[in-house]
């Protein structure tokens, strides 16, 4: 395995647009055989790598689905997102939101980990009266739900 690929680009080699603060939110389906121990391992390793890459965020797991908020310099974010998208521990990755951010939401967490016991997205969507067919409403509700864990 190439160690270089696991190192972030030095900030002074990046253009201002590479360094712009960006966020990415997606939903995915966890692999069938993924247990609590594997999820804990993903969170632990992600936290370490995110710290090196200057990324922060939150991973929520509920009913076999993952919902993740990730934020940081655009270049570093894109590098990790490419890895996440190829990871066989989940599939059916659906992009919900990607774009600039004015300030970090999860500045104090390299990888906050939450599940149904912390809060239920299903309940949140029901309370907000959002249908999964309303893609914009769904994406913005998932974003608001994840952001609520930064408080
Ligand atoms: C649901 C999920 C969320 C993940 N989140 C992150 C993350 O926030 N940061 C990270 O570095 N890796 C994350 N990973 C792990 C990456 O997909 C990948 O395994 C890791 O970056 C190491 O990649 P490499 O083995 O190609 O170096 C996540 C994996 C899954 C399945």
């Amino acid at each position: 395995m190439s160690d270089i690929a696991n190192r972030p680009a030095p900030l002074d080699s990046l253009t201002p647009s590479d360094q712009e603060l960006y966020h990415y939110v997606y939903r995915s389906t966890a692999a069938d055989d993924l247990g609590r121990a594997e999820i804990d391992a993903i969170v632990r390793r992600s936290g370490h790598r995110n710290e090196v890459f200057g990324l922060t965020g939150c991973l929520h797991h509920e009913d076999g689905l993952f919902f993740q908020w990730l934020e940081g310099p655009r270049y570093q974010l894109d590098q990790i997102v490419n890895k996440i998208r190829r990871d066989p521990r989940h599939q059916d990755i659906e992009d919900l939101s990607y774009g600039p951010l004015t300030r970090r939401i999860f500045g104090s967490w390299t990888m906050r980990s939450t599940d149904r016991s912390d809060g239920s997205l299903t309940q949140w969507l029901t309370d907000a009266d959002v249908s999964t067919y309303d893609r914009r409403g769904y994406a913005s509700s998932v974003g608001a739900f994840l952001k609520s864990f930064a408080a």
Side-chain angles (χ1 to χ4, degrees):
M1 185 172 67
S2 158
D3 189 37
I4 306 258
N6 289 315
R7 255 186 254 145
L11 274 183
D12 59 8
S13 73
L14 300 177
T15 66
S17 111
D18 288 334
Q19 293 179 54
E20 202 184 338
L21 184 64
Y22 256 57
H23 80 287
Y24 173 59
V25 181
Y26 70 86
R27 178 184 72 180
S28 66
T29 306
D32 278 345
D33 52 356
L34 209 66
R36 190 66 247 174
E38 279 103 339
I39 296 173
D40 289 346
I42 290 172
V43 169
R44 210 167 37 245
R45 285 188 55 87
S46 298
H48 291 142
R49 191 178 270 101
N50 290 352
E51 184 165 14
V52 175
F53 277 70
L55 303 180
T56 44
C58 176
L59 180 66
H60 181 74
H61 179 252
E62 179 170 340
D63 295 337
L65 300 175
F66 284 122
F67 298 85
Q68 188 171 20
W69 177 290
L70 209 50
E71 61 195 14
R74 185 180 191 174
Y75 181 87
Q76 327 281 33
L77 179 70
D78 289 352
Q79 275 192 311
I80 294 299
V81 167
N82 283 335
K83 284 179 184 287
I84 293 174
R85 296 177 75 91
R86 290 196 301 265
D87 197 311
R89 291 171 291 184
H90 62 166
Q91 62 259 328
D92 303 332
I93 295 169
E94 192 175 331
D95 299 339
L96 296 177
S97 178
Y98 175 76
L101 260 189
T102 45
R103 59 168 188 89
R104 281 185 196 259
I105 307 296
F106 287 94
S108 323
W109 284 278
T110 52
M111 187 83 295
R112 176 128 163 72
S113 166
T114 58
D115 63 21
R116 217 193 175 101
S117 65
D118 303 290
S120 164
L121 176 60
T122 310
Q123 191 59 49
W124 180 281
L125 294 172
T126 305
D127 293 346
D129 203 15
V130 174
S131 149
T132 44
Y133 297 106
D134 168 10
R135 287 193 45 89
R136 275 184 149 210
Y138 180 75
S140 91
S141 287
V142 170
F145 172 74
L146 292 173
K147 281 195 220 173
S148 75
F149 292 121

